[in-house]
Amino acid sequence: LYLPNIAIFALSIYAMQLLVYLLTYPILRLVSLLPFPILYLVSDFVYFLVYRVFGYRKKVVRSNLELVFPEKSTAELRSIERIFYGHMCDMFLETIKTLNISEEELKKRYALPNIDLLLNLEKERSILVMFPHYGNWEWSIIVNVYVKSKGFAIYQKIGNVYFDRLIKRIRGIWSTTPISQRETVITMARNHQKGIKGVYGIVSDQSPQAHLAQYWTEFMNIKVPVYNSPEILARKYDHAVVFAKVTKVKRGYYNTEFIPIAKEGSMTKENEITKQFLRLTEEEILENPAYYLWTHRRWKHRDKVPEEFL
């Protein structure tokens, strides 16, 4: 009776996930059809609910801001907090809008002034483009329209299998290939073996589990575990490494500048790529803190630093 019970439990989970998806997807599809002025009116309403009514992760956001900016007044921190929540709601709806946005429109709204940097690098090798959780990283899929190499969007799988498929569909627009973090190593190894050049986009400022972290360093003046798998892969397969600096020009418009970190990953020293990525991320946050993803508990392991990293 044990195995059938497990099967029934698994089926019930999938059934519930499907129900949630079927109830939600029509709304998401409708939102994707809205013109941008109305889309942002909807975002204002979502902001009111998320921030004013439900206070989604407000304690986490305030704790993060107070930890990172101890020198700022309460009024300054609340101002950053309000702008952040508005931006987070905008980005959520912009991601949904990707289901129904033209290439021409996205090119206009997500400018890549020095895309030639990628075009020149890809002539010689694969490229790893590293993003922090800053600005809008979802619309970076437009990069695949410009480059000749195969584009890969590395993402973290979502628990709901149906929404996971939806995210893959969104990130798969314009022939981008979404791959989960677990698939990344196999995909890179296979492409390297076959001589297939790729442009891999990855958001790289997540917080790994403390006991699995191989490297700890300071991020915003606080020692934390660092996710350094991108560097390990770049060094192993000799990828060029580029930082994507996203600037929010105005509501619905972004400018992404590519900053070279390493032309040849295999020639870098250990932790060099990771350190440079973190320093560039810090600079970006300090320029305008409101557009970083403060709902993540990025500094949650700060009190668990192993002795060898103290």
Side-chain angles (χ1 to χ4, degrees):
L1 295 175
Y2 183 64
L3 287 177
N5 285 340
I6 292 177
I8 291 170
F9 179 69
L11 286 173
S12 66
I13 291 176
Y14 282 114
M16 184 59 68
Q17 289 182 351
L18 178 60
L19 177 61
V20 172
Y21 177 76
L22 291 176
L23 291 174
T24 307
Y25 180 74
I27 299 173
L28 300 180
R29 189 65 189 178
L30 177 62
V31 168
S32 76
L33 296 172
L34 297 175
F36 275 99
I38 298 178
L39 184 82
Y40 289 121
L41 287 177
V42 173
S43 181
D44 290 339
F45 177 68
V46 174
Y47 162 79
F48 174 76
L49 293 177
V50 169
Y51 181 59
R52 300 295 183 183
V53 178
F54 299 110
Y56 171 72
R57 291 204 172 191
K58 191 178 285 188
K59 288 183 179 179
V60 174
V61 172
R62 288 187 176 176
S63 175
N64 283 340
L65 289 173
E66 290 168 2
L67 181 68
V68 172
F69 300 112
E71 76 286 356
K72 292 187 182 297
S73 67
T74 300
E76 289 176 305
L77 294 176
R78 294 295 182 271
S79 176
I80 294 171
E81 177 183 288
R82 288 190 294 271
I83 297 171
F84 159 70
Y85 273 97
H87 167 71
M88 181 181 71
C89 295
D90 280 358
M91 188 190 158
F92 171 69
L93 291 175
E94 288 165 359
T95 301
I96 297 171
K97 181 64 178 175
T98 312
L99 286 166
N100 189 50
I101 191 171
S102 68
E103 178 183 317
E104 180 182 0
E105 180 74 17
L106 190 50
K107 280 183 174 180
K108 182 175 69 175
R109 290 178 172 271
Y110 203 83
L112 307 171
N114 68 335
I115 186 65
D116 286 347
L117 176 71
L118 297 191
L119 300 182
N120 289 327
L121 287 173
E122 72 170 343
K123 293 176 183 176
E124 298 182 11
R125 53 181 41 84
S126 292
I127 308 171
L128 185 66
V129 184
M130 300 177 74
F131 292 81
H133 283 95
Y134 189 94
N136 184 330
W137 55 92
E138 296 291 349
W139 276 359
S140 65
I141 56 175
I142 195 63
V143 168
N144 204 47
V145 172
Y146 297 91
V147 298
K148 295 180 180 178
S149 302
K150 189 171 180 60
F152 296 89
I154 301 168
Y155 79 105
Q156 188 169 2
K157 293 194 73 169
I158 298 174
N160 186 308
V161 294
Y162 302 99
F163 281 108
D164 186 70
R165 290 173 190 170
L166 177 62
I167 290 296
K168 288 181 72 173
R169 202 170 97 202
I170 291 174
R171 292 178 177 174
I173 295 175
W174 299 305
S175 300
T176 303
T177 302
I179 52 174
S180 68
Q181 291 178 341
R182 290 184 178 182
E183 297 169 320
T184 302
V185 174
I186 296 173
T187 302
M188 284 189 176
R190 183 173 58 242
N191 288 345
H192 182 74
Q193 185 179 21
K194 294 181 178 180
I196 299 172
K197 286 187 290 186
V199 176
Y200 303 89
I202 183 169
V203 180
S204 306
D205 59 336
Q206 298 96 330
S207 179
Q209 296 181 45
H211 68 283
L212 296 178
Q214 299 176 357
Y215 180 54
W216 292 66
T217 189
E218 287 193 354
F219 178 52
M220 300 301 291
N221 297 315
I222 302 159
K223 190 156 284 189
V224 292
V226 175
Y227 180 63
N228 65 345
S229 297
E231 172 180 316
I232 292 171
L233 293 170
R235 295 180 70 203
K236 181 175 182 178
Y237 297 116
D238 196 28
H239 292 169
V241 183
V242 172
F243 178 85
K245 181 182 179 181
V246 181
T247 303
K248 189 168 186 175
V249 179
K250 60 180 179 178
R251 199 173 198 182
Y253 290 85
Y254 302 87
N255 187 82
T256 297
E257 177 189 1
F258 298 109
I259 301 174
I261 292 178
K263 186 176 180 180
E264 301 175 52
S266 63
M267 301 299 290
T268 60
K269 298 178 182 178
E270 186 177 8
N271 300 320
E272 179 182 340
I273 291 172
T274 301
K275 287 179 180 178
Q276 183 65 2
F277 167 74
L278 291 174
R279 297 297 81 78
L280 289 167
T281 299
E282 288 175 336
E283 290 176 11
E284 191 169 34
I285 292 171
L286 291 172
E287 282 181 17
N288 199 329
Y291 301 133
Y292 189 64
L293 191 61
W294 296 106
T295 49
H296 275 198
R297 297 177 64 209
R298 182 64 187 87
W299 295 272
K300 61 186 176 183
H301 298 308
R302 63 186 182 278
D303 298 323
K304 303 175 184 177
V305 187
E307 289 186 8
E308 61 266 33
F309 292 104
L310 290 173

